[in-house]
Amino acid sequence: MTTAIPDPDRADVVTPDADGVSPLEGGGRVLLVACGALAHEILHLKRINGWDHLDLACLPAILHNRPDRIPDAVHAVVTRNSSEYDRVCVVYADCGTGGALQRLCDRLGVEMIRAPHCYAFFEGVDSFIERDEMTAFYLTDFLVRQFDAFVWRPLGLDRHPELHDAYFGHYEALVYLAQSEDPALTQQAADHAQRLGLRFERRKTGYGELATTLEQWASQD
């Protein structure tokens, strides 16, 4: 079942699919409570693997600009809908919540991806940690597409370019962790690096541990 991707400025709601049928209808299913930044990848994995028993509820990706709000938003969706499902799984990493999201999931008895953020699980958590790249600024497919909406404008760089060094003066490279083979996205990412005055590097990660985690959840009884 396919869900609509919510506008980042809308309230945290589970949206109906293209046929107008709510993904919350029907029992014996698994609900994925996910960051909207992962919606494209999750829907693709659902489609190619035939995971029709997985339903998707996306929270606005813009919550990443206020990570302190993520646990409450996840809590609201889980508690509102858990009775309709056999299992609920949270498709977030820690994402700047300082462990609060993991503590919430432990308390609610739901699984989540164990990683510091999506950059780590796309590349592979162990590999990402081993690199220890303190001077790298990361983009995913989603962030390449939404660079102005999620980076440039929220940081005020469209209005105050003099802030550039305060935000990016300590970075040396923009690393594009690519989920897809899309020359247009690669060019966009390179353009973003040039705008920021950073060396550009592209790494093809695919879906990484997002794919393997969803496969594990999909195959559990």
Side-chain angles (χ1 to χ4, degrees):
M1 188 172 292
T2 303
T3 62
I5 300 173
D7 184 287
D9 294 324
R10 288 182 54 183
D12 302 339
V13 296
V14 179
T15 56
D17 69 7
D19 299 320
V21 180
S22 168
L24 301 182
E25 293 175 359
R29 304 179 70 86
V30 178
L31 176 64
L32 304 176
V33 181
C35 173
L38 302 173
H40 177 85
E41 289 75 21
I42 295 171
L43 291 174
H44 181 243
L45 288 167
K46 275 171 48 69
R47 184 171 63 253
I48 65 174
N49 289 290
W51 293 336
D52 296 331
H53 61 300
L54 303 185
D55 289 346
L56 176 61
C58 281
L59 291 165
I62 201 67
L63 283 172
H64 277 286
N65 287 2
R66 290 295 305 272
D68 56 302
R69 297 181 179 178
I70 293 175
D72 285 345
V74 170
H75 181 270
V77 176
V78 172
T79 56
R80 186 167 63 241
N81 302 302
S82 59
S83 64
E84 303 291 332
Y85 288 87
D86 283 354
R87 288 186 296 120
V88 177
C89 298
V90 172
V91 194
Y92 272 90
D94 180 75
C95 300
T97 68
L101 185 57
Q102 183 65 67
R103 291 191 294 273
L104 169 69
C105 290
D106 290 344
R107 188 167 70 250
L108 295 175
V110 301
E111 294 183 74
M112 65 172 281
I113 299 179
R114 293 185 181 273
H117 36 63
C118 63
Y119 312 131
F121 65 62
F122 277 136
E123 186 164 10
V125 174
D126 291 340
S127 296
F128 187 89
I129 292 174
E130 284 177 9
R131 287 182 184 272
D132 192 26
E133 297 173 311
M134 299 299 293
T135 60
F137 182 74
Y138 297 97
L139 295 180
T140 62
D141 282 10
F142 174 86
L143 286 172
V144 171
R145 295 187 186 98
Q146 301 294 333
F147 183 81
D148 283 350
F150 282 79
V151 179
W152 198 257
R153 290 198 297 271
L155 293 178
L157 293 171
D158 57 327
R159 304 178 303 281
H160 301 287
E162 68 275 10
L163 294 174
H164 172 275
D165 288 349
Y167 290 124
F168 294 99
H170 65 290
Y171 288 109
E172 297 176 359
L174 183 150
V175 178
Y176 169 33
L177 303 176
Q179 284 72 68
S180 61
E181 292 287 359
D182 187 332
L185 277 182
T186 298
Q187 185 58 57
Q188 280 185 269
D191 292 344
H192 298 329
Q194 185 175 20
R195 291 169 75 184
L196 295 175
L198 301 176
R199 173 175 55 83
F200 177 63
E201 180 181 346
R202 179 187 184 275
R203 296 178 195 155
K204 175 62 185 302
T205 66
Y207 294 168
E209 293 176 17
L210 174 66
T212 55
T213 299
L214 292 187
E215 182 178 14
Q216 178 185 354
W217 289 343
S219 63
Q220 289 176 357
D221 293 331

